[in-house]
Amino acid sequence: MAKSRFEYVRTFERENLFHQETYLVVRVDGRGFHKFSAEYQFSKPNDMRALQVMNSAAQSLMEAIPEILLAYGDSDEYSFLLRKKCELFERRESKLVSTFASTISAYYQFYWNKIIPEKPLNVQRLPTFDARVVMYPNEKIVRDYFSWRQVDCHINNLYNTTFWTLVERGGLTPKEAENKLIGTLSSDKNEILFKDFNINYNNEPEIYKKGTVLVRENPNLRQELTEELSDRQKQREIKKLHKSRIETYHIDLINDKFWEDRPWIFQ
Amino acid sequence: MAKSRFEYVRTFERENLFHQETYLVVRVDGRGFHKFSAEYQFSKPNDMRALQVMNSAAQSLMEAIPEILLAYGDSDEYSFLLRKKCELFERRESKLVSTFASTISAYYQFYWNKIIPEKPLNVQRLPTFDARVVMYPNEKIVRDYFSWRQVDCHINNLYNTTFWTLVERGGLTPKEAENKLIGTLSSDKNEILFKDFNINYNNEPEIYKKGTVLVRENPNLRQELTEELSDRQKQREIKKLHKSRIETYHIDLINDKFWEDRPWIFQ
Amino acid sequence: MAKSRFEYVRTFERENLFHQETYLVVRVDGRGFHKFSAEYQFSKPNDMRALQVMNSAAQSLMEAIPEILLAYGDSDEYSFLLRKKCELFERRESKLVSTFASTISAYYQFYWNKIIPEKPLNVQRLPTFDARVVMYPNEKIVRDYFSWRQVDCHINNLYNTTFWTLVERGGLTPKEAENKLIGTLSSDKNEILFKDFNINYNNEPEIYKKGTVLVRENPNLRQELTEELSDRQKQREIKKLHKSRIETYHIDLINDKFWEDRPWIFQ
Amino acid sequence: MAKSRFEYVRTFERENLFHQETYLVVRVDGRGFHKFSAEYQFSKPNDMRALQVMNSAAQSLMEAIPEILLAYGDSDEYSFLLRKKCELFERRESKLVSTFASTISAYYQFYWNKIIPEKPLNVQRLPTFDARVVMYPNEKIVRDYFSWRQVDCHINNLYNTTFWTLVERGGLTPKEAENKLIGTLSSDKNEILFKDFNINYNNEPEIYKKGTVLVRENPNLRQELTEELSDRQKQREIKKLHKSRIETYHIDLINDKFWEDRPWIFQ
């Protein structure tokens, strides 16, 4: 089509292309979900249906983008691992970041309307997400990344479980509960739960304690080869990814077993 | 809260901070809207209700982010101008890009459900958007940017109007219409419309020919000062922006008048 | 020429291209010049011949790169302003940074050998420089940049003059002189110099107090035009720059006069 | 020291920090060495003393920066590999690029004056270098990088050897020699040399055919550990690097042997 004399403004556009052969992790994070959960009266410390909305959205995103091999989430955040060979959007940062943020928001609203229809969303408080992409050069650091998020889930959930037990069953005000927990260790919180409320934290649901792992199970990709794949071979590999099933778990990502059982994650 | 030994993975995060005192334009663009418009049977060449959804979404976004002084859109894209002094998200690229993409998607789905309830969205084809931020150093280039988008709107709309008139009223197949238009100038298309179909393109609705301009009318900001504003003064300026009304127009952005009447856009 | 199967490694290269229509300032800074000045026994607080070496190097650099319109330096650092229309190396950061650092080092060594031949350079302590490029979007900030450097020159020179007077004429140890100056204001240092040593700081040489300004005098460039210049016109403008003379001053850059007299700097 | 109201201009500075745990290769390249070699009448196709200058400069640079484990060069270019754990200048791009470019220039000029004193450098044509840093995520790609440079050396040297033999011994003009070589394969060039001039290319000096490899021999670093090293341990490792000897070779980098013999390069 005809070009105008204003077309030159495009020369001001810049793209950050992530290096090939590195692992990209896209993390999406709910914006203002503290207020969002208050507005829609989430049950505390965890709202199972809101988690279902989030997990359904993440699962749909993962189905839509076959090069996501692994996802991990809890609360209102999710991290998606793109495989090392991923060439999605030529690995452009803005495209990745905006597409993930937009897509998770779209699915979240969609599933909210399905799963929690009795709480219609209000235009002043729609669910939105920000996103970032982080590049990691090797397997060890990718594993440490997911360990970091799972440890964080554990720390937050133990805190929240104790806090809300103190408030809802112990009759403390939020401020009193907060003060009581300042400086406490994990063992202290476990003890409060057990001694004062007869709650054994270990018996809490795994989905709350461990978060949710979505993994593309054995796509049976080619082993790493010295030669480059042709474009047709690449398409075939992506089809395999697309067809391989996605499983949901609430299990440990910190130990070796999960990873040793799934070598294709780092292929 | 306690930090884990995995925390170091955060050192791999990078932020691109756009330079202060420059103009940032965020452009959002519908992903796969060709298929989207087919799935939901948009009327051609323009679907007024779909435009209403888009314009409502853009207006809500602009209400939510007071530092947007101007927005321009047509079809499934919109460009938002952030004022020169904007410090939103510390001008971080990922945060801007993901928030705009997510928020426009959230509003679009919300308004779709309100405005076009008889066409419920299907989980396989939800409306999503990508986004990019471009930095422009001065007023002239910002004006040229908006001129570029408006010229593009004109070129596309004249083409689409002629194409769909040939198909729907002229009985051509899409392929025939496409071939007939190859190599034609604007004047040729005007003539086809006028001679063959008695359509005077100039009489087409302004919203189709010019696109939609949203502008924050006279927020009455302080003149540019040599001194820095204090944080409290900055907050007060943002409140003024928040309260100033947003007007909708379908007018020319290429000539000087629009800009001369609104000097605060570049303050 | 033939390409090898290893050629793909080039896809890992990245370039940062600075935006057009912005001002680029390249600042070079001597690496380890504290030790360098000790090794070659610079006179204190200023060594006139070392300044001559530095100024000659900067002048030669400015002759070699015609799009430098202005340079300012003192001690072992120099800042070079590239004009807004500059397209040198397509505005690539690595190329600019490495070329400036390399070239200033080459000239410095060359002029050292000419100007101070009785102090031959020792391979363990050669003069080297680092460099950075900073992008500034408008005239005001460019002026503030040069004001910043000139204020810095003043602050350093007043301190150093007082410090070395206390040591060399006052008989203090360096540690004693340092302690005596902790917390002193400019006025205090002026008074120490005047009362104790009968030195009127205002009478110190301008080159020490103000640093050195190199400016490309009136290149008589075209006024800013709406139309783009052709490549041939661009070449002609660069030739004009090349031929226009470079003048050296030790004058104030903070007030308006310098800039008002030289509007082409911002053309 | 006192800060001025102009200090804010520093907020416009940006740093690109390369990701940890990746390999950085800095490549320096002579600027305008075609003209430089003409000005100083290099012998063709290779000038042994100019190579000595370049190799001495690279060796001195490697002695000065202990975290360079390997360097490879031919003609007027050199590539330096920084070890994976390198934290030099916090991995800042501008600092790395400018320091390498400046330092190689300083050493080159210094060694030129020592080794080729009868050809004094002329201020209009001093030796300068540009530089770039490229990040590589894993060992395979680093090896491919060095293979790429060595294949390039081979291709260039075979071409240049044949070209200059045709010109200097065959009596062809440069233009005729160039035409004769268009479209020739390596085997054709070998045959020209052998049949027409009785030169067996395989017997040419290894330094011309293979380029020069500088390697820091067995620094006996710690094996990769799960735990982080303390700052003191890091200093000790750097001292070991500093003390370990640098060896010069003209050998094959494409096959496995070189790398298998030196596992510390990738530690």
Side-chain angles (χ1 to χ4, degrees):
Chain A
M1 274 191 203
K3 288 195 175 185
S4 74
R5 68 184 162 93
F6 303 117
E7 192 93 16
Y8 81 92
V9 298
R10 298 205 65 173
T11 62
F12 285 83
E13 298 182 3
R14 293 290 178 277
E15 299 285 1
N16 179 29
L17 275 76
F18 287 107
H19 289 67
Q20 292 182 303
E21 298 287 321
T22 59
Y23 297 98
L24 302 182
V25 173
V26 188
R27 182 168 75 247
V28 299
D29 201 2
R31 300 191 61 236
F33 261 56
H34 194 74
K35 287 185 182 172
F36 185 85
S37 67
E39 172 95 11
Y40 300 107
Q41 303 173 318
F42 280 30
S43 53
K44 294 293 182 180
N46 291 290
D47 186 298
M48 182 57 91
R49 288 200 305 161
L51 276 185
Q52 277 171 20
V53 171
M54 190 72 204
N55 287 339
S56 301
Q59 165 111 13
S60 287
L61 175 58
M62 198 162 161
E63 283 164 5
I65 300 180
E67 296 187 88
I68 302 170
L69 294 184
L70 174 67
Y72 173 77
D74 81 290
S75 182
D76 60 340
E77 78 159 56
Y78 243 96
S79 298
F80 299 93
L81 174 66
L82 295 168
R83 68 188 185 126
K84 192 164 69 171
K85 295 284 179 201
C86 177
E87 297 180 4
L88 184 64
F89 307 137
E90 301 160 82
R91 305 174 77 91
R92 281 184 285 158
E93 183 167 25
S94 285
K95 195 86 175 173
L96 286 164
V97 154
S98 59
T99 300
F100 273 73
S102 169
T103 307
I104 198 78
S105 303
Y107 284 127
Y108 193 98
Q109 186 174 156
F110 180 86
Y111 284 115
W112 179 280
N113 291 340
K114 293 282 177 229
I115 295 175
I116 318 184
E118 78 280 10
K119 294 183 184 173
L121 291 165
N122 151 4
V123 71
Q124 302 296 332
R125 187 74 67 202
L126 296 178
T128 60
F129 293 81
D130 59 33
R132 67 178 63 224
V133 188
V134 189
M135 181 181 91
Y136 291 111
N138 64 44
E139 293 70 15
K140 177 185 173 298
I141 309 179
V142 171
R143 283 192 48 178
D144 285 350
Y145 174 83
F146 283 97
S147 295
W148 174 51
R149 299 322 303 140
Q150 195 167 50
V151 167
D152 210 57
C153 167
H154 165 73
I155 291 171
N156 289 330
N157 191 59
L158 176 56
Y159 182 92
N160 290 337
T161 301
T162 317
F163 176 89
W164 287 104
T165 302
L166 286 169
V167 169
E168 300 194 339
R169 294 182 44 192
L172 270 59
T173 66
K175 193 66 205 162
E176 288 167 345
E178 198 185 323
N179 286 336
K180 188 176 173 78
L181 292 176
I182 284 173
T184 55
L185 304 177
S186 291
S187 53
D188 301 324
K189 296 188 194 79
N190 273 301
E191 201 173 295
I192 290 171
L193 288 171
F194 193 66
K195 286 216 174 143
D196 299 356
F197 302 98
N198 201 28
I199 293 170
N200 184 339
Y201 182 72
N202 288 334
N203 296 338
E204 291 292 295
E206 292 299 303
I207 187 173
Y208 300 154
K209 289 186 301 179
K210 294 276 197 297
T212 298
V213 179
L214 302 178
V215 64
R216 203 173 288 281
E217 291 291 15
N218 205 348
N220 195 18
L221 299 173
R222 280 158 177 261
Q223 301 303 319
E224 188 141 6
L225 303 161
T226 27
E227 277 104 296
E228 283 281 295
L229 297 183
S230 70
D231 282 352
R232 183 179 300 197
Q233 287 171 315
K234 284 179 190 173
Q235 285 311 315
R236 220 176 287 148
E237 295 289 286
I238 287 180
K239 256 188 202 152
K240 277 193 219 165
L241 287 166
H242 213 100
K243 278 194 263 174
S244 59
R245 74 184 194 290
I246 297 167
E247 295 289 347
T248 301
Y249 306 103
H250 312 291
I251 55 174
D252 184 284
L253 292 177
I254 299 170
N255 293 318
D256 296 335
K257 182 167 171 37
F258 175 84
W259 306 93
E260 285 172 358
D261 288 351
R262 294 167 181 84
W264 60 85
I265 289 177
F266 292 131
Q267 240 171 44
Chain B
M1 275 193 204
K3 289 192 171 185
S4 75
R5 70 185 161 93
F6 304 117
E7 192 92 17
Y8 81 93
V9 298
R10 299 205 66 173
T11 63
F12 285 83
E13 298 183 3
R14 293 289 178 276
E15 298 285 1
N16 179 28
L17 274 77
F18 287 107
H19 290 66
Q20 292 182 304
E21 299 288 321
T22 60
Y23 297 99
L24 303 182
V25 174
V26 188
R27 182 168 76 247
V28 299
D29 202 3
R31 300 190 61 234
F33 261 56
H34 193 74
K35 287 186 181 170
F36 184 85
S37 66
E39 172 95 12
Y40 300 107
Q41 303 173 318
F42 280 29
S43 53
K44 292 296 181 180
N46 291 289
D47 186 298
M48 182 58 89
R49 288 199 305 161
L51 276 185
Q52 276 171 19
V53 171
M54 191 72 203
N55 287 340
S56 301
Q59 165 111 13
S60 287
L61 175 59
M62 198 162 162
E63 284 164 3
I65 298 179
E67 297 188 88
I68 302 170
L69 294 183
L70 174 68
Y72 173 77
D74 81 290
S75 182
D76 60 339
E77 78 159 54
Y78 244 95
S79 297
F80 300 92
L81 174 65
L82 293 169
R83 67 187 185 127
K84 193 166 66 171
K85 296 285 179 201
C86 177
E87 297 179 5
L88 184 65
F89 307 137
E90 303 159 78
R91 305 173 77 91
R92 280 183 285 157
E93 184 166 25
S94 285
K95 195 88 177 174
L96 286 165
V97 154
S98 58
T99 299
F100 273 73
S102 169
T103 307
I104 199 77
S105 304
Y107 285 126
Y108 193 99
Q109 186 174 154
F110 180 86
Y111 285 114
W112 180 281
N113 291 339
K114 293 283 177 227
I115 295 174
I116 317 182
E118 78 280 10
K119 293 183 183 172
L121 291 165
N122 150 3
V123 70
Q124 301 296 332
R125 187 74 66 200
L126 295 179
T128 60
F129 293 81
D130 59 33
R132 68 177 64 223
V133 188
V134 189
M135 181 181 90
Y136 291 111
N138 64 45
E139 291 71 15
K140 177 185 175 298
I141 309 177
V142 171
R143 285 191 47 178
D144 285 351
Y145 174 83
F146 284 97
S147 296
W148 174 51
R149 299 321 304 140
Q150 196 168 50
V151 167
D152 211 58
C153 167
H154 165 74
I155 292 171
N156 289 332
N157 190 59
L158 176 56
Y159 182 92
N160 291 337
T161 302
T162 317
F163 177 89
W164 286 104
T165 302
L166 286 168
V167 169
E168 299 194 341
R169 295 182 43 192
L172 271 59
T173 65
K175 192 67 205 159
E176 288 167 346
E178 197 185 324
N179 286 337
K180 187 176 174 77
L181 292 176
I182 284 172
T184 55
L185 303 177
S186 290
S187 53
D188 302 324
K189 297 190 193 77
N190 274 301
E191 201 172 295
I192 290 171
L193 287 171
F194 193 69
K195 288 215 174 144
D196 300 356
F197 301 97
N198 200 29
I199 293 171
N200 184 339
Y201 182 72
N202 289 332
N203 297 338
E204 290 292 295
E206 293 297 303
I207 188 174
Y208 300 155
K209 289 185 302 180
K210 294 275 195 297
T212 297
V213 178
L214 303 178
V215 64
R216 202 174 288 281
E217 291 292 15
N218 204 347
N220 194 21
L221 297 174
R222 281 156 177 260
Q223 302 302 319
E224 187 139 8
L225 302 162
T226 27
E227 278 104 296
E228 283 281 294
L229 297 184
S230 69
D231 282 352
R232 184 180 300 196
Q233 287 170 317
K234 284 179 189 171
Q235 285 311 313
R236 222 176 286 148
E237 296 289 286
I238 287 179
K239 256 188 204 154
K240 280 192 216 167
L241 288 166
H242 214 99
K243 279 194 264 174
S244 59
R245 71 185 195 289
I246 298 167
E247 294 288 347
T248 301
Y249 306 103
H250 311 292
I251 56 175
D252 184 285
L253 291 177
I254 299 169
N255 293 318
D256 296 336
K257 182 166 171 34
F258 175 83
W259 306 92
E260 286 171 359
D261 288 350
R262 293 168 182 82
W264 62 85
I265 289 177
F266 292 131
Q267 241 171 43
Chain C
M1 273 190 204
K3 288 194 174 185
S4 74
R5 70 184 161 95
F6 304 116
E7 192 92 17
Y8 81 92
V9 298
R10 299 206 64 173
T11 63
F12 286 83
E13 298 183 4
R14 293 291 178 276
E15 298 285 1
N16 179 28
L17 274 76
F18 287 107
H19 289 67
Q20 290 182 305
E21 298 287 321
T22 59
Y23 297 99
L24 302 183
V25 173
V26 188
R27 182 167 77 246
V28 299
D29 201 3
R31 299 191 61 237
F33 261 56
H34 194 74
K35 286 186 182 170
F36 185 84
S37 67
E39 172 95 11
Y40 299 108
Q41 304 173 320
F42 280 30
S43 52
K44 293 294 181 177
N46 292 288
D47 186 298
M48 182 57 90
R49 288 201 304 163
L51 276 184
Q52 277 172 20
V53 171
M54 190 73 204
N55 287 339
S56 302
Q59 165 110 14
S60 287
L61 174 58
M62 199 162 161
E63 284 164 4
I65 299 179
E67 296 188 89
I68 302 170
L69 294 184
L70 174 67
Y72 173 77
D74 81 290
S75 182
D76 60 339
E77 78 159 55
Y78 244 95
S79 298
F80 299 93
L81 174 66
L82 294 168
R83 67 187 186 126
K84 193 165 67 171
K85 296 283 179 201
C86 178
E87 297 180 4
L88 184 65
F89 308 136
E90 302 159 80
R91 305 173 78 90
R92 281 184 285 158
E93 183 166 25
S94 285
K95 195 86 176 175
L96 286 164
V97 154
S98 59
T99 300
F100 273 72
S102 169
T103 307
I104 199 78
S105 303
Y107 285 127
Y108 193 99
Q109 185 173 157
F110 181 85
Y111 285 114
W112 181 281
N113 291 339
K114 292 284 177 228
I115 294 174
I116 317 184
E118 79 280 9
K119 293 182 183 172
L121 291 165
N122 153 0
V123 71
Q124 301 296 332
R125 187 74 67 199
L126 295 178
T128 59
F129 293 81
D130 60 34
R132 67 176 64 222
V133 189
V134 190
M135 181 181 91
Y136 291 111
N138 64 45
E139 293 70 15
K140 178 186 174 297
I141 309 179
V142 171
R143 282 191 49 179
D144 285 351
Y145 174 83
F146 283 97
S147 296
W148 173 52
R149 298 323 302 140
Q150 195 167 51
V151 167
D152 210 58
C153 167
H154 165 72
I155 292 170
N156 289 331
N157 191 59
L158 177 56
Y159 182 92
N160 291 337
T161 302
T162 317
F163 176 90
W164 286 104
T165 302
L166 286 168
V167 169
E168 299 194 340
R169 293 182 44 192
L172 270 59
T173 65
K175 193 65 204 163
E176 289 166 347
E178 198 185 323
N179 286 337
K180 188 177 173 78
L181 292 176
I182 284 172
T184 55
L185 304 176
S186 291
S187 54
D188 301 323
K189 296 188 194 79
N190 273 301
E191 201 173 294
I192 290 171
L193 288 171
F194 192 68
K195 287 216 174 143
D196 299 356
F197 301 99
N198 202 26
I199 293 170
N200 184 339
Y201 182 72
N202 288 333
N203 297 337
E204 291 293 295
E206 293 298 303
I207 187 174
Y208 300 155
K209 289 185 302 181
K210 295 275 197 296
T212 297
V213 179
L214 303 177
V215 64
R216 203 173 289 280
E217 291 291 14
N218 204 346
N220 195 21
L221 298 173
R222 281 156 176 263
Q223 302 303 319
E224 188 140 4
L225 302 162
T226 27
E227 277 104 298
E228 283 281 294
L229 297 183
S230 70
D231 281 352
R232 183 179 300 196
Q233 286 170 316
K234 283 179 190 173
Q235 285 310 315
R236 222 177 285 147
E237 296 288 286
I238 287 180
K239 256 189 201 152
K240 278 193 217 167
L241 287 167
H242 213 101
K243 278 195 262 175
S244 60
R245 72 186 194 289
I246 297 167
E247 294 290 347
T248 301
Y249 305 103
H250 312 291
I251 56 175
D252 185 284
L253 291 177
I254 300 170
N255 293 318
D256 296 336
K257 183 168 169 36
F258 175 83
W259 306 93
E260 285 171 359
D261 288 350
R262 293 168 181 84
W264 61 86
I265 289 177
F266 291 132
Q267 241 171 43
Chain D
M1 274 193 203
K3 289 195 172 184
S4 74
R5 69 184 162 94
F6 304 117
E7 192 93 16
Y8 81 91
V9 299
R10 299 206 65 173
T11 62
F12 285 83
E13 298 183 3
R14 292 290 179 276
E15 299 284 0
N16 179 28
L17 274 76
F18 287 108
H19 289 66
Q20 291 182 304
E21 298 287 323
T22 60
Y23 297 99
L24 302 181
V25 173
V26 188
R27 181 167 77 247
V28 300
D29 201 2
R31 300 191 59 236
F33 263 57
H34 194 75
K35 287 185 181 171
F36 185 85
S37 67
E39 172 94 12
Y40 299 107
Q41 304 173 319
F42 280 29
S43 54
K44 292 296 183 179
N46 291 290
D47 186 296
M48 182 57 90
R49 288 200 305 161
L51 276 184
Q52 276 171 20
V53 171
M54 191 72 203
N55 287 339
S56 302
Q59 165 111 14
S60 286
L61 175 58
M62 198 163 162
E63 284 164 3
I65 299 179
E67 297 188 88
I68 302 169
L69 294 184
L70 174 68
Y72 172 77
D74 80 291
S75 184
D76 60 339
E77 78 158 55
Y78 245 94
S79 297
F80 300 93
L81 174 65
L82 294 168
R83 67 186 185 127
K84 192 165 67 170
K85 296 283 178 201
C86 177
E87 297 179 5
L88 185 64
F89 307 137
E90 302 159 79
R91 306 174 77 92
R92 281 184 286 159
E93 183 166 25
S94 285
K95 195 87 177 176
L96 286 164
V97 154
S98 60
T99 298
F100 273 73
S102 170
T103 306
I104 198 79
S105 303
Y107 284 127
Y108 193 98
Q109 186 173 153
F110 180 87
Y111 285 115
W112 180 281
N113 291 340
K114 293 284 175 227
I115 294 174
I116 317 183
E118 79 281 10
K119 293 183 183 173
L121 291 165
N122 150 3
V123 71
Q124 302 296 332
R125 188 74 67 202
L126 296 179
T128 60
F129 293 81
D130 59 33
R132 68 177 63 223
V133 189
V134 189
M135 182 182 90
Y136 292 111
N138 64 44
E139 293 70 16
K140 176 185 175 297
I141 309 178
V142 170
R143 283 191 49 179
D144 285 351
Y145 174 84
F146 284 97
S147 295
W148 174 50
R149 299 322 303 141
Q150 195 166 51
V151 167
D152 210 59
C153 167
H154 165 74
I155 291 170
N156 289 331
N157 191 60
L158 176 56
Y159 182 91
N160 290 337
T161 302
T162 317
F163 177 89
W164 287 104
T165 302
L166 287 168
V167 169
E168 298 194 340
R169 294 181 45 191
L172 270 59
T173 65
K175 194 66 207 161
E176 289 167 345
E178 198 185 321
N179 286 337
K180 188 176 174 77
L181 293 177
I182 284 172
T184 55
L185 303 177
S186 291
S187 54
D188 301 324
K189 297 188 193 79
N190 273 302
E191 200 172 297
I192 290 172
L193 287 171
F194 192 69
K195 287 217 172 141
D196 299 355
F197 302 98
N198 200 28
I199 292 169
N200 183 338
Y201 182 73
N202 289 332
N203 297 338
E204 291 293 294
E206 293 298 305
I207 186 173
Y208 300 154
K209 290 185 302 180
K210 294 275 196 296
T212 297
V213 179
L214 303 177
V215 65
R216 202 173 290 280
E217 292 290 15
N218 204 348
N220 194 20
L221 297 174
R222 280 157 178 261
Q223 301 303 318
E224 187 141 6
L225 302 162
T226 28
E227 276 105 296
E228 284 281 296
L229 296 184
S230 69
D231 281 353
R232 184 179 299 197
Q233 286 170 317
K234 284 180 189 171
Q235 285 311 315
R236 222 177 285 147
E237 295 289 285
I238 287 181
K239 254 187 205 154
K240 279 192 215 165
L241 287 166
H242 213 100
K243 278 194 263 175
S244 59
R245 72 186 194 289
I246 297 167
E247 295 289 346
T248 301
Y249 305 103
H250 311 291
I251 56 175
D252 184 284
L253 291 177
I254 299 168
N255 293 318
D256 296 335
K257 181 168 172 32
F258 175 82
W259 306 93
E260 286 172 357
D261 288 351
R262 293 168 182 83
W264 61 85
I265 289 177
F266 292 131
Q267 242 172 41

